[in-house]
Amino acid sequence: MNLTVFGIGYVGLVQAAVLAEVGHQVVCVDIDVKKVERLNQGLIPIFEPGLENLVKENHAAGRIKFTTDAAAAVKHGQIQMIAVGTPPGEDGSADLKYVLAVAEAIGREMDAPKIVVGKSTVPVGTCEKIKARIAATLKARGREDLGFDVASNPEFLKEGSAVADCMKPDRIIVGTGSEDTEAVMRELYAPFNRNHEKMIVMDVRSAEFTKYAANCMLATKISFMNEMANLAEELGADIEEVRKGIGSDPRIGYHFIYPGLGYGGSCFPKDVRALIKTAEGVKFDAKLLRAVEERNNEQKSVLFDKVNRYFKGNLKGKTFALWGLAFKPNTDDMREAPARVLMEALWKAGAKVQAYDPEAMQECQAIYGLREDLLLCGTKEAALRGADALMIATEWKNFQAPSFDAMKDALITPIIFDGRNLYDPKVIARYGIEYHSIGRMAA
């Protein structure tokens, strides 16, 4: 099938590459000239395992193309997929200006019937706004004879495993009231639906809401577990043992119940806030969601508070090693990362940071530039040298089995503040290292 994808960000690029991989002819359009040029040169703007080879191979085979020419892109695709950003406005609500700009472009350039698919995470009712914008644009052109439909098809990708999530989706949500649109969407996703039925078809508004409900449910699990971790410390319980105990209940499960420093990234913070604003718009008090956000915001300061208490508020002139900058492993994304809150608090207190992350070093440099109180190190071992303590903010795999002897020798004070509970306190104690983690008594 011929498919057009508007937006070559995280969602658009991954989805386009995976659809091209199964044989669809995909044209990706974006207003960012430099991004399009780099992609045509084989330079991928984001880090995501497996994505670079997928894009390069399908681009070389001619199944995926990148352009800034909206007219040609609209002409190409029977399906027009909107995957542009919906950044939060000042009040936390989703900003739809890019989505509606694409809708207008489609209405301006289309010369044949189209199926417009909303892939971006958008508030309930957005597809209706897209439909109205396209219809108004066609009317202004005098082309009301051109038929089109607007469907919702939210994405459910996890950064760090997005390609796998796309290739083997748990579910494919399609919101439409049209049998013809449903048939086309089934054809589009047929290669991903062979093992068993994964497509769930519902009305458009329910599909839009499903995406927000899913992300807010996961965010709630994270904030709940972090609250239990903080309480466990006060009660002298071990949250890691508690996690195993409750996770064994199939009604709860083990996913998203790891205590830590809170959620970050491009989805959970934005989507929780956006749904709170949506609720306010219909005069509904989203008490639980507001509590989820409040707990998450406070959780990002937990590790700094532990450090500050340990050093009795005297952090000025001290140097701290920091392992992990990205908000989660297998990505370079630092949007709303706990590490940012931690670093900024340390700097405000007069401390210096020696940081290492396997993928997010360039992103950190882009965000903070050159600072005397920030040293980006080439290895995790280099970050330890001469530091007063080690802090861990991201659970990268290559942090999980370090040389504790070498760590002890490199640190001025043999102490770890672990925001991800990577180590067994009993093991750490054998090496003579003091260990502070989340939801467990200090070892």
Side-chain angles (χ1 to χ4, degrees), residues 18 41 43-44 76 94 104 142 178 182 191 227 248 292 298-299 320 329 347 396 398 414 425 436:
V18 168
Q41 295 166 5
L43 301 174
I44 312 303
H76 168 80
E104 190 167 321
S178 165
E182 179 182 339
E227 186 148 299
S248 62
V292 167
E298 291 180 6
Q299 197 68 20
F320 294 95
W347 293 332
W396 285 93
N398 66 353
H436 297 262

Side-chain angles (χ1 to χ4, degrees), residues 149-421:
D149 189 33
V150 180
S152 175
N153 175 218
E155 54 83 18
F156 295 94
L157 308 180
K158 300 185 295 293
E159 291 192 47
S161 61
V163 172
D165 290 342
C166 246
M167 294 296 289
K168 296 180 180 180
D170 296 320
R171 74 284 208 200
I172 302 167
I173 303 293
V174 174
T176 182
S178 165
E179 291 183 0
D180 291 340
T181 296
E182 179 182 339
V184 172
M185 295 300 287
R186 287 191 179 280
E187 182 181 350
L188 177 71
Y189 286 116
F192 311 97
N193 205 32
R194 296 181 66 189
N195 183 266
H196 63 275
E197 181 59 61
K198 297 177 182 178
M199 185 171 285
I200 303 172
V201 181
M202 60 185 70
D203 65 276
V204 173
R205 281 184 164 240
S206 294
E208 290 172 325
F209 190 45
T210 295
K211 170 63 178 180
Y212 277 108
N215 277 359
C216 288
M217 178 65 206
L218 297 174
T220 299
K221 291 185 74 173
I222 294 169
S223 282
F224 172 82
M225 203 61 188
N226 283 331
E227 186 148 299
M228 293 302 100
N230 297 341
L231 184 56
E233 278 192 30
E234 298 298 326
L235 297 174
D238 185 337
I239 195 62
E240 289 299 326
E241 298 302 323
V242 175
R243 176 181 63 79
K244 296 170 188 174
I246 68 173
S248 62
D249 185 332
R251 297 170 299 175
I252 298 173
Y254 292 104
H255 296 297
F256 286 86
I257 62 168
Y258 287 88
L261 299 178
Y263 56 78
S266 62
C267 294
F268 288 2
K270 176 174 71 71
D271 292 352
V272 170
R273 290 179 202 133
L275 194 53
I276 291 171
K277 294 305 295 185
T278 295
E280 291 175 359
V282 293
K283 295 181 171 54
F284 178 83
D285 185 5
K287 295 178 181 178
L288 178 59
L289 293 181
R290 287 191 285 105
V292 167
E293 182 181 36
E294 183 181 357
R295 168 54 58 207
N296 191 65
N297 290 338
E298 291 180 6
Q299 197 68 20
K300 292 182 180 181
S301 298
V302 164
L303 206 61
F304 173 78
D305 292 341
K306 289 177 180 290
V307 173
N308 199 39
R309 281 196 303 270
Y310 180 86
F311 288 98
K312 298 180 172 56
N314 184 25
L315 300 180
K316 188 173 182 179
K318 288 186 166 48
T319 299
F320 294 95
L322 175 60
W323 285 3
L325 295 166
F327 85 96
K328 64 180 288 188
N330 297 321
T331 181
D332 60 355
D333 193 345
M334 287 184 65
R335 284 174 286 186
E336 306 219 28
R340 295 181 64 172
V341 175
L342 177 57
M343 285 194 295
E344 289 166 15
L346 289 167
W347 293 332
K348 187 176 181 180
K352 296 181 179 181
V353 176
Q354 297 178 171
Y356 170 76
D357 187 284
E359 294 295 339
M361 305 285 273
Q362 187 173 346
E363 180 66 12
C364 186
Q365 185 81 66
I367 293 169
Y368 293 111
L370 297 174
R371 301 178 57 110
E372 291 184 358
D373 49 11
L374 173 62
L375 176 64
L376 297 175
C377 301
T379 65
K380 64 180 186 289
E381 291 81 11
L384 297 172
R385 293 174 195 145
D388 289 280
L390 166 65
M391 295 178 293
I392 301 173
T394 314
E395 62 274 33
W396 285 93
K397 283 187 177 180
N398 66 353
F399 295 166
Q400 294 179 13
S403 168
F404 293 114
D405 283 328
M407 182 186 294
K408 185 177 180 181
D409 290 342
L411 292 170
I412 293 175
T413 311
I415 182 169
I416 301 172
F417 295 92
D418 183 359
R420 298 299 177 181
N421 290 3

Side-chain angles (χ1 to χ4, degrees), residues 27-45:
V27 170
C28 298
V29 59
D30 201 287
I31 60 174
D32 189 331
V33 176
K34 290 184 178 179
K35 181 186 288 186
V36 169
E37 288 177 352
R38 288 195 295 268
L39 281 163
N40 280 320
Q41 295 166 5
L43 301 174
I44 312 303

Side-chain angles (χ1 to χ4, degrees), residues 133-156:
R133 182 64 64 91
I134 294 173
T137 307
L138 288 173
K139 184 177 181 180
R141 290 176 57 201
R143 291 305 309 270
E144 294 170 274
D145 58 304
L146 291 174
F148 71 96
D149 189 33
V150 180
S152 175
N153 175 218
E155 54 83 18
F156 295 94

